[in-house]
Structure formats: C-alpha cells, structure tokens
Amino acid sequence: MREGFRQSMAWLHTWSGLLVCWVLLLVFAGGAASYFKDEITFWMKPELHAGARDPVAPAVALQHAVAYLEKQAPHAERWFISLPSERSSAIRAGWIGPPSGNGAKDTPRSRFRSELLDPASGQKMAAVRETRGGEFLYRLHFDLHYMPAIWARWIVSVCAMFMLVAIISGVITHKRIFKDFFTFRPGKGQRSWLDAHNATAVLALPFHLMITYTGLVTLMFMIMPWGVQAAYRDKGGESAFFEEVFPVGAGRAKPAGVAAPLAAMAPILEQASRHWNGAPPATIVVNNPGDANATIVVTRQKTRTLSYLQPGMLFNGVSGAQVSAMGDDPSAAAVTRGALYGLHMGHFADPWLRVLFFLCGLAGCVMVASGALLWAVKTRQKQAKALAQGARRTFGLRLVDALNIGAIAGLPIAFAAYFWANRLLPVGLPQRPQMEIACFFAAWAAAAVLAQIRPTMGMWRFQLSVAAAMFIGIPILNVFTTHSHLGVTLLLGRGPWPVAGFDITVLLLGSALALAVRALGKREKKQDKAAAAGARTEPGKLKEAA
C-alpha cells in the first residue's frame, strides 16, 4: 500500500511539473530578477550614472515636486509623488489629467503621465531614456504580457498550484532526498539529470515552498474573493474593502469646484514621520489638487521589517490637518498576509540576503529545467531500441525537446536581447519601452521557432552559444555606449556599484552558459566515438541505422 502510494506520487510529481514547467521557468527567471528590479532599472538608465548626488531632505524634494506639478498639471485629478529611497535617488512625479471626452478610451490609465525629476532642483531630468527596466521583468513574472492581466494572473496562479503539488509530491516520492543531495554523478545520462534535479530542489527547498505558497497569497483576493464579497456586501463591495485596507485609495472625494491653495508639505511630512517613530515617507498622493476638497495621503516607506504593510495618514489638503491614520492597528489576518506578502517580495532584505534569494531563484530555474530534461531523457531511453532501428521520435518527445530548447536556451537569449536593445535603440525613439519589450519577445519567438524546426543537440549548442555570447557581450557593449562601464565602476572604483554588480552578474551568467556549451560539446564527441566504435564492431548495424 505504501509503495503504491509512493508510485502514485511519482506520477503526480512528473505530470504536475511537466505540464506547466515552461511557464514556471519564466516565472522563476522573472521573479529572481525582480529582487534587483530597482538596480536593473538604474543600469538601464545610464544617463543617471554620472556621479552620486548628495542626499536631499524629503521635505525639500517633495516641495520641488509639488512646484513642478503645480506648473505642469494644475488641473489634474490626482498627483502621485514617489520620494527618493536608498535604492533610488530620483523623484518621480505623476498625474492623472482631466477627462478628455474620448469616450471609452478616456480612462485614468490613458490620462496618466509621469516624469523623473532631480530632487535637488526639481527640474525634469533631460535626455533620460524611457524604459520599463526591471519593472517589466517584475510584472512579467505574474502578468506575463500581451494578454489581459486577469487572465495572466489566473494562468500563473494555476501554475503555482501545480508547482506546490509537484514540490509536496516530490518530497513524498523521493525516499533518499537529503542523502542524494550530496551525490552528483556526471556523465551518467538519466542518473546525472536526476542528481542535478535533486540537488537544486533540496538546496533551496525552503525557498521554493515559501515562494510558491506566498505567491498564491499575493493573489488571494483574486483566487478566493468570497470572504471579502460576503463581509462587504452592504458596505460598497470590494472597492470599499481595498480603500479601507490600502491607504493610497483613501480620501477620494468629488471636487468642490472652488479654488483653494494646497497646504504646506513640510509640516505634513514631519507629522507623518513623527507618527511613525522617524520612519520616512515613501509616496504622497494628492486628490483634487488646488480644490477646496483636496486631500493628501502619505504612506510610509517600506522599512527593514518582514511585513509588507505600509501604514498611511490622511490629511486635509487645504488646512493640512490630520484626518485619520490608517494601518496603525491592523488585524491579525492583515498582519499574517502582510508578513507572507513581505516574504515573497523580499523588500525587508539587505543586499546580501537579496543575493541569496536571487541565487535560490536561479536554483529554481535549474530545478524546473532539469526536471523537463529528465522527462525527455527517460522517454528517449524507453524509445532507444526503436530509435536505433531508424524509427522517428514520437510526437510528444519531439514536442517536449523543441519546447525545452525554446524555453531553457531561448529565455536567456530573450533576457540578453532586452538589455542589448536598451543600449542600441535610439534614446529618442517613440514608444521606446515598448520596442525594448518587443525585442525581448521577438528574440524568444525566433529561438522557439528554430527549436521547433530542428530540435537537435546542435540546436542546443547553437542557442546556448548565442545566449552566452550576448550575456558576455553586455559589459563590452557598455564600453562603447556609456561612461560607466567596468573599467570605470570596478577598476577605477568610481561607482556606481549597482552598475558594476549588474555587469559582473551578466558576465558570470554568460560564463556559466559557455561552460554548458563546452560540456555539451564534450558529451557529443564522446557519443560520436562510442557510435563509431560500435559501428566498427558491428558494421551491419551501421548499415541498418543509415
């Protein structure tokens, strides 16, 4: 009975992992990059690399942003201001313009605009290239792209559930999971792939469990909305719940139509920071600026605490008087969700802990990839006799081989193409962020199509070689396109260090891919020698195979 249960778990582990492994590979890769999304965005804006600026007081930076918005968007519905933090030196000012009367296309999203400002002067930063940067990779791992976000999140949620089932069933079905972690037998075919799969799975097993479960928690209001719907049925529905829980949506009211000056920001920031025991503010939202019904919402900066909860304070936009404080005394359920959400996002982590999370994310990529390859190796061994007699691969095996090449080897090509496009596309190109993203998917689509046409070992080597060359070439490309290449940031020690860290990381990733190409080449030569030796001893089989 116990053996039968283990065997059933093995079947469940295999298929729950295989059916969604290529989506999970994208989710793990994008999620791993998200731990350094701010640094990636900074790297992708080389115009900001010219020297570190002296820190600017939040009140001064905010006043400059308000002055800019009063000039550029005096009639806006809302202002959004993101203050500088330890991972971002600039200030971003955004606004939703008044309705334009374009019917269905006239939405708050379509009327949103934002600019990057110098916190010291309040002036718009000139000639800074537009890019989605690390935000695209962050959104990619749960919103995918080119489809409605709600569909994408349901797809990712289902894949995460499959992943959770695969992890639990894998632990159950593997009797010697921790013992085999210390065992790796290279050059043994299926045994080697199983060892690699076990090692990467066990190495980061707590991380894999945590990141999968907490990923589902981040989408809990979409997956299980019934509790909120029942509790807030008579209070305005889900929108009332979100305004109560998330302070950014608070304080919205219809404009009075009476002009009134905005309250001074410095006392408001000082009062909010004092209320939070010195914690700095992160964002300021001004509803109905310049109107008698203006309100100001200040949210606290994410601190080095586990919880993702961001308390907020609501102020009268004309008098500056405090109206309410939100999130100071959250419920036990909110605290629990905030902690799980914070675990998933990793904002509490210092740089070295985020490096560890990034490495665990890469281990997840290797785990998923080796699992998919293991299935193909097992299936090919079952068909070995037929293949030796000249039979073709079954449709399922050929499809998985092609998908493996397109996903495992093609995805690094897509990432590298995204970074190359950032450096090579003209700075003033219209719709530049969309063009960078288009380069990402065009490179990935090309790799996937080539893999479908010729899913062979030669295609593996070709695509991995292209990925390795592109990753290693990124720091070299920097020498010709920026003034913050490794020769400046590392050798001369002039920083900025996030740029040097990015360049070193892509060099290491490219080197790892190059080593994989070398290993594949050695393996293919070994197989060719074995085949030639077999042909000499059994010439009849060579004729039959031909």
Side-chain angles (χ1 to χ4, degrees):
M1 181 68 181
R2 184 175 61 185
E3 187 67 18
F5 176 69
R6 281 191 60 253
Q7 288 177 347
S8 66
M9 288 296 102
W11 178 91
L12 182 63
H13 176 74
T14 297
W15 288 103
S16 61
L18 181 67
L19 293 175
V20 297
C21 63
W22 301 287
V23 177
L24 287 175
L25 184 64
L26 174 63
V27 171
F28 265 109
S34 298
Y35 287 118
F36 291 95
K37 69 173 185 174
D38 292 334
E39 289 76 10
I40 292 173
T41 301
F42 182 65
W43 182 90
M44 295 180 73
K45 294 184 176 183
E47 294 81 11
L48 301 179
H49 299 175
R53 299 183 180 273
D54 294 330
V56 178
V60 174
L62 178 58
Q63 194 56 48
H64 285 156
V66 169
Y68 180 86
L69 289 169
E70 286 177 338
K71 181 179 179 181
Q72 295 294 327
H75 305 295
E77 289 184 1
R78 304 176 81 189
W79 291 346
F80 304 87
I81 302 172
S82 298
L83 295 176
S85 65
E86 62 178 3
R87 296 174 63 186
S88 177
S89 60
I91 186 170
R92 181 166 289 279
W95 65 92
I96 296 176
S100 58
N102 290 333
K105 295 182 179 180
D106 185 17
T107 63
R109 182 181 292 273
S110 68
R111 290 183 273 120
F112 178 77
R113 301 289 183 273
S114 71
E115 300 288 356
L116 208 60
L117 308 180
D118 184 339
S121 65
Q123 298 299 314
K124 176 183 175 181
M125 291 187 171
V128 177
R129 66 191 66 194
E130 289 292 326
T131 178
R132 289 285 303 279
E135 186 68 20
F136 162 67
L137 302 178
Y138 164 66
R139 290 283 172 182
L140 181 67
H141 98 282
F142 64 92
D143 273 354
L144 305 181
H145 207 70
Y146 297 129
M147 67 170 61
I150 189 67
W151 294 5
R153 295 182 186 189
W154 270 110
I155 291 171
V156 172
S157 297
V158 171
C159 292
M161 293 177 190
F162 272 67
M163 177 68 182
L164 194 60
V165 170
I167 291 173
I168 296 173
S169 58
V171 172
I172 294 173
T173 193
H174 203 302
K175 292 187 295 185
R176 302 187 305 170
I177 187 169
F178 291 104
K179 180 180 179 181
D180 284 350
F181 167 66
F182 298 99
T183 305
F184 181 70
R185 288 151 284 195
K188 300 294 184 182
Q190 177 181 335
R191 183 71 254 179
S192 299
W193 287 116
L194 183 58
D195 287 344
H197 186 65
N198 290 338
T200 52
V202 178
L203 176 68
L205 180 59
F207 174 84
H208 296 152
L209 279 170
M210 178 275 290
I211 210 68
T212 304
Y213 179 74
T214 56
L216 290 169
V217 169
T218 63
L219 299 172
M220 62 182 289
F221 297 122
M222 182 193 74
I223 301 171
M224 297 183 292
W226 311 288
V228 173
Q229 291 172 353
Y232 283 79
R233 182 179 293 114
D234 302 325
K235 301 179 183 179
E238 293 184 34
S239 59
F241 166 78
F242 287 113
E243 286 196 4
E244 182 177 325
V245 175
F246 304 107
V248 172
R252 301 186 65 179
K254 292 184 178 180
V258 179
L262 193 66
M265 288 293 184
I268 290 176
L269 286 195
E270 183 181 354
Q271 183 177 350
S273 182
R274 187 168 59 249
H275 182 79
W276 297 321
N277 298 319
T283 59
I284 293 88
V285 178
V286 181
N287 301 299
N288 308 319
D291 188 86
N293 278 352
T295 57
I296 300 172
V297 181
V298 183
T299 56
R300 193 190 70 187
Q301 199 170 103
K302 298 181 184 73
T303 55
R304 293 286 176 82
T305 56
L306 182 60
S307 178
Y308 191 75
L309 294 178
Q310 283 183 278
M313 297 184 69
L314 177 64
F315 297 87
N316 184 292
V318 177
S319 66
Q322 178 182 339
V323 176
S324 63
M326 300 153 287
D328 287 345
D329 189 22
S331 64
V335 171
T336 302
R337 179 185 180 272
L340 294 175
Y341 201 111
L343 268 174
H344 189 83
M345 299 297 292
H347 287 295
F348 65 93
D350 61 25
W352 289 112
L353 184 55
R354 283 188 283 119
V355 168
L356 178 61
F357 279 7
F358 174 74
L359 293 176
C360 289
L362 292 183
C365 294
V366 176
M367 176 189 67
V368 172
S370 59
L373 291 169
L374 181 60
W375 185 91
V377 170
K378 283 184 177 180
T379 305
R380 189 174 289 103
Q381 287 184 349
K382 292 178 182 178
Q383 301 176 15
K385 186 177 292 185
L387 292 173
Q389 294 174 354
R392 292 179 177 271
R393 285 174 292 181
T394 60
F395 172 78
L397 177 58
R398 190 186 188 282
L399 177 63
V400 171
D401 280 340
L403 289 174
N404 282 344
I405 298 173
I408 299 170
L411 190 57
I413 294 175
F415 272 78
Y418 181 58
F419 300 132
W420 275 72
N422 174 261
R423 290 296 190 258
L424 296 180
L425 291 176
V427 174
L429 183 70
Q431 302 295 318
R432 195 177 187 282
Q434 288 71 28
M435 291 299 296
E436 289 180 356
I437 295 171
C439 290
F440 177 97
F441 286 103
W444 198 8
V449 170
L450 287 174
Q452 290 291 337
I453 295 173
R454 192 173 178 82
T456 62
M457 185 65 71
M459 182 58 68
W460 271 109
R461 291 203 323 275
F462 171 72
Q463 293 204 15
L464 288 175
S465 298
V466 171
M470 292 182 72
F471 269 108
I472 293 173
I474 290 172
I476 300 173
L477 181 65
N478 270 347
V479 175
F480 300 99
T481 57
T482 73
H483 298 288
S484 53
H485 50 81
L486 278 175
V488 174
T489 58
L490 188 63
L491 297 182
L492 298 182
R494 297 177 183 172
W497 290 111
V499 177
F502 181 94
D503 286 341
I504 292 171
T505 299
V506 294
L507 273 177
L508 292 175
L509 290 174
S511 300
L513 291 168
L515 289 175
V517 174
R518 182 183 178 188
L520 286 177
K522 288 183 176 180
R523 180 184 174 191
E524 193 168 14
K525 288 180 180 179
K526 185 177 179 181
Q527 290 177 345
D528 290 342
K529 288 181 180 179
R536 284 195 298 271
T537 55
E538 300 181 49
K541 287 190 176 182
L542 177 62
K543 183 178 180 181
E544 184 181 353

